[in-house]
Structure formats: structure tokens, C-alpha cells
Amino acid sequence: MLLTALTGIHGDRADALTVAGRTTSYEELLGAAGAVAADLAGAPFPAFAVTATASLETVAAVVGGLLAGVPCVPLPPDAGPAEREHILRDSGARLIEVDYARRSAAPPTRTAAPGDPALILYTSGTTGPPKGVVLSSAAIAADLDALAEAWQWSAEDTLVHGLPLFHVHGLVLGVLGALRTGSRLVHTGRPTPQAYAEAGGSLYFGVPTVWSRIAGTPQAAAALSGARLLVSGSAALPSPVFRDLERLTGHRIVERYGMTESLITLSGRAGGEVRPGTVGTPLTGIRTRIAAEPGADIGELQLAGPTLFSGYLGRPEATAAAYTEDGWFRTGDIAAIDAADGVHRIVGRASIDMIKSGGYRIGAGEVENALLDHPQVSEAAVVGVPDTDLGQRIVAFVVAEGVTGAELTEFVAAHLSAHKRPREVRFVAAVPRNAMGKPQKRLLLNEEYQERT
Ligand code: MCA
Ligand code: AMP
């Protein structure tokens, strides 16, 4: 059983979970999830989807799927029609609605094997539409147990976060982690500094944008000084944010590194030494190596271990391409390992086409394709420009006539998720290309280019 807290080993708790202001017990959750599982029993479809708002309904759907042994596809609630359709068509998932007031004793409908798919999370590559990352219960259990060990995370904790429930961070760590360790969960709805300050937790999760906003709100930050552990992940935490938080909260925030495909693989340890700009050492069961040129000590980070995904749904070639010939997973991140203590540092991404904005992973190609679908756009190149709040912000360079930037931004939002909208659209005479016709995106990041056009 993945969700050990639901077997009653810590007893019931009236306030086991609070999600966006609504509180429920384990027993109520099991009842609502049982009703979902009963509906899913004997389902003639390979997976089911739920519109993954930050709500008890989403939690009940995911838990119901685990009880029934039918994988859940959490749909971003802000996904435009094209992205929703792609995800539903690609996964073959049936969209369900959950009524949290409906209850049924959890029926042991089908016993899923630990290696069976539990979740299918859609994530962007550098090009093309998002791919479904298939995660098994075994991989999730291995990751959560390794994290519980690294962070001394237990039923004594109250976990607080306000992250979306359609990604690993908010859903796997933030919900399934609480239901495996038995910690109370307070999901704040939106992850505002004020909501984090008021939640009174012992363990806090956030993406760097959330931590940076907390560091910019000293009163809210001060309220976290009584917590046991603050954890950052999903993108690089800027060192100034680390230092501001240390000054305001007394905590040296623990940073951890992961990917949808690998789950969390590296982390600092509770009670251990933590250095800003580093992501700690491999979790139990994880092996890492750096694929560096001879003589160099930075290169692509490659991984092996029990937390890896089962593959991209229906895309064996893409799955094979994600591994080296000798079976290591290629992260696409450039890293270095400290020879003295094995602490890892993420130096950057191998591809300029993978953007991280507010902790969201966005493939430049996907946004470019959406822009090119607009009849007035003849060329489009999308880049992630450094941004103090978001890490990177999406900027689109387009060749177009008779359309405004705001119209193009809305056009993207209507097709893809809202967070894939460009923050800025810059109209240019041409996208710079090399002799092969390949866009020279590094030139676009150069301020001078914009002045010349
Ligand atoms: C956003 N807005 C826009 C645009 N973008 N309006 C016009 N044009 C745009 N281009 C709107 C928003 O919809 C919102 O409107 C308002 O502007 C504020 O947006 P924003 O600044 O983005 O703030 P936010 O909405 O508060 O979002 C910041 C955030 C969010 C809360 C940090 O980015 C977030 O939840 N990030 C978490 C991502 C995550 O969990 N990633 C994990 C994946 P309105 O106010 O009307 O709504 S990584 C993972 O899972 C791995 C394994 C890992 O390592 O963890
Ligand atoms: P996603 O699949 O959305 O989780 O995105 C995974 C990517 O997020 C990784 O490949 C990294 O580029 C980035 N990432 C996650 N955690 C960190 C971190 N602590 N530091 C730097 N990058 C990170």
C-alpha cells in the first residue's frame, strides 16, 4: 500500500488534510476515494483524467485511482482546449468528475502490482507536444521513503505548501508524501507569503519564486522561524534568496533536485551541512555520474535508480532516447560534483529550448508552434530571459503583421496552459538564423539584438 497513513497506522485525524480552506479526515478521504474507485472498477479505459484544481476532489480522485489500480492523468486546470484535447487523446483517459460528499467503503477492486502505472504526468520536451510520463507506485514509494529519510519527515510533521496538483512537486511530494508519512497537510490554495506564514507548519515546500516572494515579505518570512525544515526545488534557488531567508527565518533552506521522469534524486539533508547553490547528494538508491569531456569536470548529469519513470506513454523511441546505451537516464542538466564531499551543483540546462518559469517546465517549441498557428505570424522564436521573480520569463520574438502582442499572448493561452503564455512579445524583422536556417537563439538573449531591430 503506497498510502500507508490510510491503513490507519497513525489512527484517524479530524484535520489530516486541509486543502484550500477545507479540512477532512483520513476516514472521509478514504470514503470519497472509495466512491471514485468503485466507479473506476472494471473501467474499459486505460486511464482516467481529473481537472486537477487545488481541491479535496483532486486528492480523492488520485487516491481513488490508486485504490482501483487505474492510472490518473491530472489535467492542468488552466490548460487551453488544444492542450486538454492532446492530453486526453494521447492518454486515452476518460475525464471524471468527483463529488467529495459521496462516500463508499474502499472496494478492493483490482490489486495493482507495484510496477503498474499509478500516475501519468504530461510534461514538455524541447519540441513537440507534451509527453505522458508514466510513474509506477514502486517508483513513487521509493522516492517518498528516500525523502522521508533525508528530511526526517514523519507523522509528527505538518507539511505546508500551495503548489499545483498536476506536477510531481505538489502532487507526489506534496500530497502522496503526506499520505505516506502520515504528516498533516495544509495546502494553502495559492502559495502567497501570507498564507505560508499563517499555516503554522513544521515542513514547508516551495519553488524558488515562492521563496523569493517570501524573502521579499519580511513579516511572513519571520513567521516561518519556528518551522523544522524549509525545502526548495523545481528550479535553481538564487543564493541571495537563500541568504535573505537565513537572515529572516534562521533557516538554511534545503535544496533538492528532480525531474518528472526521475522524481527527486538529490537533496540536502535535515540537520546536515547545506551550502547555497548546491542540491546535496544522491538519495538512498540513486546513483549519479557526470558525462564530461576528458579533462572537464562539468557535464550532463546522468542517473540510475528505483525512482525512474516507466517510460513516455506510447513513445518507445523517445523513452529509448532518454537513456544512454549503458542504461543511464540522461537528465539534460549540466552539473558538477564536489570531489571532496560528493555535493552536486546544477550549472544549467543543456538545451536553450527548455525553459523554467516559476518552476514550470516549458518547451520553447511548444510555444513557438502555438504562435505559428496564428495566421498573422510567419516566424517565431521563444526564449527564457533571466527574471528575478520567475527565474526565467518567456519572451517570444515574432515576425508578424496586423496583430498585437496582447492578442498573441491570449492566443497562446487559449491553446496551451496559462503559464505557457509569453510575458513579452517582441516584433522583429527576422529571426536570426545560421547558414543551415537554424534559429540563433543565443543572439536573441543579447540585449543589443533587440536594439538593432
Ligand atoms: C501569468 N499571468 C499572466 C501571464 N502569466 N498574465 C498575462 N500574461 C502572461 N504571460 C497572470 C497569472 O495568470 C496570474 O493571474 C497573474 O498573472 C500572476 O501570475 P504569476 O506571476 O505567474 O504568479 P502566480 O500565478 O502567483 O504564479 C507564480 C507561482 C506559479 C505560484 C510560483 O508559477 C506556480 O505555482 N509554480 C509552481 C510550478 C510547479 O509546481 N512546478 C513543479 C514542476 P491571476 O492572478 O488572475 O490568476 S517541477 C517538478 O515537479 C519536479 C520533479 C521538481 O523538481 O519539483
Ligand atoms: P520538471 O520535470 O518540471 O520537474 O523539470 C525538471 C527540471 O527542473 C530539471 O531537469 C532541472 O532543469 C530543473 N530543476 C529541478 N530542481 C532543480 C534545482 N534544485 N536546481 C536547478 N534546477 C532544478
Side-chain angles (χ1 to χ4, degrees):
M1 173 64 169
L2 178 61
L3 307 178
T4 32
L6 296 180
T7 62
I9 59 164
H10 307 294
D12 197 12
R13 245 187 198 160
D15 60 352
L17 290 95
T18 299
V19 181
R22 287 157 68 207
T23 297
T24 199
S25 66
Y26 289 136
E27 196 190 325
E28 287 165 353
L29 172 59
L30 257 183
V36 172
D39 290 350
L40 293 173
F45 38 86
F48 73 99
V50 64
T51 303
T53 51
S55 64
L56 291 177
E57 285 73 15
T58 299
V59 177
V62 172
V63 174
L66 289 169
L67 294 173
V70 182
C72 178
V73 180
L75 283 177
D78 66 346
E83 185 162 324
R84 278 173 89 84
E85 257 165 51
H86 163 72
I87 294 174
L88 291 173
R89 192 169 351 98
D90 189 73
S91 63
R94 172 83 53 89
L95 185 62
I96 66 156
E97 301 261 341
V98 176
D99 174 0
Y100 200 76
R102 265 179 69 213
R103 298 278 148 73
S104 131
T109 43
R110 180 189 137 209
T111 321
D116 285 350
L119 292 175
I120 304 170
L121 303 185
Y122 274 78
T123 189
S124 300
T126 50
T127 55
K131 298 190 281 287
V133 172
V134 181
L135 296 170
S136 67
S137 295
I140 294 170
D143 204 50
L144 294 177
D145 291 349
L147 289 174
E149 182 192 320
W151 298 339
Q152 297 166 20
W153 181 6
S154 76
E156 305 293 305
D157 279 306
T158 294
L159 169 64
V160 176
H161 71 90
L163 299 166
L165 299 189
F166 46 92
H167 283 313
V168 164
H169 199 165
L171 181 60
V172 176
L173 276 59
V175 173
L176 303 184
L179 294 175
R180 189 164 174 87
T181 58
S183 65
R184 268 186 74 220
L185 168 65
V186 177
H187 188 291
T188 58
R190 295 193 84 145
T192 60
Q194 198 57 34
Y196 272 44
E198 285 166 6
S202 62
L203 175 60
Y204 282 81
F205 293 168
V207 296
T209 301
V210 168
W211 289 120
S212 153
R213 292 176 185 181
I214 290 173
T217 319
Q219 269 174 322
L224 304 189
S225 33
R228 185 178 68 76
L229 190 70
L230 313 182
V231 184
S232 179
S234 302
L237 183 75
S239 295
V241 176
F242 178 100
R243 294 208 181 84
D244 286 348
L245 284 173
E246 183 175 23
R247 183 170 44 78
L248 294 165
T249 69
H251 288 285
R252 287 170 77 80
I253 191 164
V254 166
E255 188 166 359
R256 94 294 180 288
Y257 161 89
M259 285 184 79
T260 307
E261 289 89 336
S262 67
L263 302 179
I264 308 309
T265 50
L266 295 162
S267 182
R269 301 296 190 273
E273 198 210 321
V274 167
R275 287 202 300 277
T278 65
V279 293
T281 53
L283 297 177
T284 296
I286 305 292
R287 288 179 300 139
T288 62
R289 71 179 188 190
I290 301 289
E293 300 290 322
D297 53 7
I298 70 164
E300 186 186 32
L301 175 67
Q302 300 181 347
L303 302 167
T307 66
L308 281 158
F309 69 142
S310 314
Y312 294 113
L313 187 70
R315 289 180 169 82
E317 306 80 26
T319 306
Y323 284 87
T324 62
E325 270 174 25
D326 57 346
W328 290 70
F329 176 71
R330 308 177 48 135
T331 64
D333 288 306
I334 308 299
I337 304 177
D338 189 310
D341 57 11
V343 167
H344 290 52
R345 194 161 50 86
I346 306 297
V347 181
R349 285 284 319 172
S351 171
I352 197 171
D353 288 325
M354 190 72 92
I355 299 169
K356 268 267 158 163
S357 187
Y360 285 113
R361 168 169 155 184
I362 299 136
E366 201 186 343
V367 183
E368 287 160 4
N369 288 340
L371 287 165
L372 288 169
D373 277 343
H374 193 284
Q376 303 304 115
V377 174
S378 53
E379 287 188 63
V382 167
V383 291
V385 170
D387 185 279
T388 48
D389 180 44
L390 297 167
Q392 289 181 303
R393 69 175 183 280
I394 306 175
V395 177
F397 292 80
V398 296
V399 180
E401 269 175 36
V403 63
T404 66
E407 281 163 359
L408 288 179
T409 300
E410 274 315 301
F411 186 77
V412 173
H415 283 70
L416 310 174
S417 303
H419 63 264
K420 294 178 181 169
R421 279 175 294 194
R423 298 270 165 170
E424 273 174 63
V425 177
R426 296 189 195 155
F427 293 91
V428 291
V431 167
R433 294 179 187 273
N434 67 11
M436 311 294 291
K438 198 173 172 297
Q440 298 295 85
K441 292 199 178 178
R442 305 228 177 250
L443 288 180
L444 294 175
L445 287 171
N446 178 346
E447 285 297 323
E448 282 178 34
Y449 178 81
Q450 296 146 35
E451 284 168 21
R452 271 190 275 125
T453 51

